[in-house]
Amino acid sequence: MQSAAVITPSTLSVNDLPWQIEWDKDTCTLCGRCTAVCPVSAIELGVHRKRTVEATPALAKKPTNSYSIYHGIRQRTDPAYHCIGCAMCNMVCPNNAIAPRLRPEATTLKFHNNRGGAARTRGGRRNDGGSLLDQIKFIRISMLTDPALDAGRHEFNLRTLLGRIQPPEEGLAALADNAWVPAVREIYPLMIGSMSFGALSPNMWEGLVMGVTYLNEEMGMPVRMCTGEGGCPPRLLRSRFLKYMILQVASGYFGWDEIIKALPDMKEDPCAIEIKYGQGAKPGDGGLLMWYKVNKLIAAIRGVPMGVSLPSPPTHQTQYSIEESVAKMIQSMSMAWGFRVPVYPKISGTTTSTAVLNNLVRNPYAAGLAIDGEDGGTGAAYNVSMNHMGHPIATNLRDCYENLVISGKQNEIPLIAGGGIGKNGNLAANAAALIMLGASAVQSGKYIMQAAAGCLGSEHDRCNVCNIGVCPKGITSQDPRLYRRLDPEKVAERLVDVFLSFDTELRKIVAPLGRSTSLPIGMSDGLGISDYHVAERLKIKYVV
């Protein structure tokens, strides 16, 4: 008697998986490219047995079965090797014989992502395609009330200031007394968000730096890029291109040994120092670089052994209050560069952000505040943190800006907003909305990866394997076999395209507002939304 197959609690069928492989037997040539390129080994070469029922006309005799055996592609159903929908198999197939298809109704896999008792970690961002910023409209159009501007002919000063901006009387008095004046940088209002050398591949990082340099030196656009936690290559620290970088120091202090060593040899000061206290994608957690990506180069820059995971503490050690953080970190970082470099903290969106801001207002060395909302991306975090923790950026930013208005400091402390900007492709519209809600600048990372390098991750949980170093595009991998797929010069070229198109769209938005000499920071009377409760919360117009 034939024994029945053993069914275990973790046994899944193909129909239980959200991404299913469709394979055409007739056009496939069994070249093996798809199985070779799959980053998670979700497909394999298999032997298929096909039964054919042969029946005679009018059932003259009993139907018979015939069997044929052929080789082909089989999708693995083990949850550890589930398809992530990256479609690399389709990209390399010469005959278009294979492709993944999404079945959103297949949810069984969610109950099997905790194999071995380990909670799921991934890269990407919150699996929610909705965006409040996409619902905001620009409703104040200058016709006869204000001079309307031509976005194509007028000159626009689309610049913002990063640093503590003193009132005119204080600044003039300081200059007259030859006293210290806070460092201020004029930058472009769209910054490249924090993505570390380690989280990103060498080719991706090189491409971004090349693109930023071209924008500054050839296009006259003062674009700035934040290094993220982990330092940066020693060669960059000692080059003139450092002035385009914002160096980030986080709770793990990875890479800062190299930065301190390079201080005497620096030809230029960095644009600014960002002290990371929180991140929108994983509030309450420190950074995480998993062992898959800690190769010899990354280990050398970060000053750690090879092949070990690098989690950062959830907070800077010995700093457990706002006052302590401001005194120890902001002032010590300012001192390291002779008070020539703006220093500001970055926090995740939270209901306590106004408390942080109120303390910064009282400190003359604080150069601003960066807030990262719940839709921010990351290279590695727990799934539960990304999907269920955090604060929306729009309301958090609005609360902080109104707090500055009450204290009369809205023109002194710049607010930098991030988290989900350009989530659905509307980068300029989202950025302009946040600027008019009170941001002096915005930062974006995920959009840059998608637009400049072709990142495949999405809010449908597609790909999102940034954390384990098998990025099919080579963007977030430290494996040379993978990151060689990415051409740094093409990344730089696409980055320039992104910023030039953003600049055009931003002009199209601010021109009807009648603004050409400055950004419409806090100009919320020009915004509207069709949701009454959101309009009340953000204090903008309710329009239907």
Side-chain angles (χ1 to χ4, degrees):
M1 181 176 180
Q2 187 176 6
S3 60
V6 177
I7 305 297
T8 67
S10 60
T11 300
L12 302 181
S13 71
V14 172
N15 291 326
D16 294 323
L17 303 176
W19 290 98
Q20 297 181 10
I21 298 295
E22 294 183 357
W23 171 70
D24 188 346
K25 170 180 175 293
D26 297 326
T27 57
C28 178
T29 59
L30 299 179
C31 66
R33 295 182 185 180
C34 56
T35 56
V37 80
C38 181
V40 292
S41 302
I43 51 179
E44 59 186 357
L45 185 65
V47 179
H48 298 262
R49 184 170 181 255
K50 181 179 179 181
R51 185 185 71 156
T52 304
V53 178
E54 297 178 352
T56 58
L59 296 178
K61 57 182 180 180
K62 185 178 179 180
T64 60
N65 296 327
S66 64
Y67 298 91
S68 59
I69 295 177
Y70 62 94
H71 295 86
I73 302 302
R74 175 185 289 122
Q75 181 175 359
R76 301 176 71 175
T77 57
D78 186 331
Y81 301 97
H82 69 276
C83 175
I84 57 175
C86 68
M88 288 301 293
C89 53
N90 178 259
M91 293 182 193
V92 300
C93 181
N95 301 313
N96 202 31
I98 188 170
R101 293 289 180 267
L102 176 64
R103 293 182 67 251
E105 67 275 10
T107 59
T108 308
L109 181 64
K110 295 179 181 179
F111 301 98
H112 297 272
N113 279 328
N114 52 4
R115 300 288 291 273
R120 185 190 178 199
T121 58
R122 64 176 178 87
R125 62 178 162 213
R126 195 164 63 106
N127 283 324
D128 184 349
S131 173
L132 174 64
L133 297 177
D134 287 340
Q135 301 175 38
I136 296 177
K137 302 179 176 68
F138 306 96
I139 59 171
R140 190 180 188 279
I141 311 301
S142 299
M143 296 283 184
L144 300 175
T145 55
D146 297 300
L149 303 176
D150 189 322
R153 292 186 177 90
H154 279 89
E155 292 187 2
F156 291 82
N157 182 29
L158 301 181
R159 303 290 185 267
T160 192
L161 298 177
L162 175 60
R164 186 63 170 259
I165 305 160
Q166 290 184 316
E169 59 277 9
E170 291 184 18
L172 291 173
L175 290 173
D177 297 337
N178 200 24
W180 174 75
V181 176
V184 178
R185 304 281 195 261
E186 185 180 64
I187 66 170
Y188 196 70
L190 175 62
M191 302 159 56
I192 299 178
S194 314
M195 296 180 286
S196 72
F197 189 81
L200 297 184
S201 67
N203 284 17
M204 181 65 185
W205 231 75
E206 182 183 357
L208 291 178
V209 175
M210 289 168 60
V212 167
T213 302
Y214 186 90
L215 287 166
N216 277 273
E217 300 189 356
E218 298 295 330
M219 306 305 299
M221 298 173 66
V223 176
R224 297 298 181 261
M225 169 181 168
C226 186
T227 62
E229 180 181 14
C232 55
R235 184 176 61 176
L236 178 60
L237 291 172
R238 294 169 172 82
S239 74
R240 63 184 178 85
F241 308 116
L242 183 63
K243 60 188 175 184
Y244 307 137
M245 300 290 119
I246 297 173
L247 299 180
Q248 185 187 87
V249 55
S251 55
Y253 304 101
F254 296 119
W256 270 81
D257 282 348
E258 288 294 329
I259 293 175
I260 298 302
K261 289 177 185 176
L263 265 173
D265 302 323
M266 288 183 179
K267 297 177 181 178
E268 297 278 355
D269 288 332
C271 171
I273 306 296
E274 179 179 273
I275 305 173
K276 175 190 168 187
Y277 290 96
Q279 187 174 343
K282 43 185 172 182
D285 282 346
L288 174 62
L289 187 69
M290 297 185 73
W291 65 269
Y292 308 92
K293 302 166 76 169
V294 185
N295 59 14
K296 186 177 180 180
L297 173 62
I298 302 305
I301 290 176
R302 298 198 176 206
V304 298
M306 287 176 54
V308 296
S309 293
L310 303 177
S312 297
T315 184
H316 290 260
Q317 301 302 302
T318 75
Q319 297 168 43
Y320 298 101
S321 69
I322 304 172
E323 294 80 10
E324 206 173 18
S325 297
V326 168
K328 287 186 177 178
M329 286 299 294
I330 293 182
Q331 288 173 219
S332 62
M333 286 291 111
S334 298
M335 194 180 302
W337 272 271
F339 298 93
R340 301 185 306 272
V341 176
V343 181
Y344 65 90
K346 172 186 175 181
I347 62 173
S348 57
T350 168
T351 55
T352 60
S353 59
T354 51
V356 176
L357 181 62
N358 287 337
N359 194 278
L360 296 177
V361 167
R362 298 194 297 269
N363 188 283
Y365 302 105
L369 176 64
I371 308 172
D372 197 16
E374 65 178 351
D375 279 328
T378 182
Y382 283 97
N383 187 62
V384 66
S385 296
M386 281 195 274
N387 285 345
H388 302 286
M389 296 181 68
H391 196 296
I393 184 59
T395 51
N396 216 184
L397 170 69
R398 192 65 177 152
D399 290 344
C400 288
Y401 184 74
E402 289 182 337
N403 200 274
L404 288 175
V405 171
I406 292 171
S407 61
K409 301 290 186 180
Q410 71 271 25
N411 295 322
E412 297 183 29
I413 303 287
L415 298 174
I416 303 168
I421 300 171
K423 183 177 182 178
N424 295 315
N426 305 311
L427 182 64
N430 292 172
L434 287 174
I435 289 170
M436 294 173 71
L437 287 173
S440 294
V442 298
Q443 54 185 0
S444 179
K446 178 71 171 177
Y447 181 93
I448 298 298
M449 290 170 60
Q450 292 173 309
C455 169
L456 302 169
S458 77
E459 287 66 58
H460 296 292
D461 211 1
R462 184 187 182 198
C463 198
N464 290 344
V465 288
C466 325
N467 57 320
I468 58 176
V470 293
C471 174
K473 288 293 187 114
I475 301 169
T476 61
S477 175
Q478 300 301 326
D479 186 341
R481 295 172 299 178
L482 296 177
Y483 67 67
R484 278 199 295 260
R485 298 173 182 172
L486 199 62
D487 185 346
E489 293 189 1
K490 293 295 182 183
V491 172
E493 182 181 325
R494 282 292 299 134
L495 184 70
V496 172
D497 290 345
V498 168
F499 273 87
L500 292 180
S501 63
F502 173 88
D503 193 74
T504 299
E505 290 188 345
L506 190 58
R507 290 167 188 259
K508 295 296 291 184
I509 292 171
V510 301
L513 300 175
R515 303 294 290 267
S516 62
T517 58
S518 63
L519 290 172
I521 299 172
M523 191 176 169
S524 57
D525 63 324
L527 299 177
I529 196 169
S530 59
D531 187 312
Y532 176 78
H533 297 290
V534 173
E536 289 291 302
R537 179 68 178 82
L538 296 178
K539 294 182 174 59
I540 61 178
K541 300 288 186 181
Y542 169 56
V543 292
V544 289

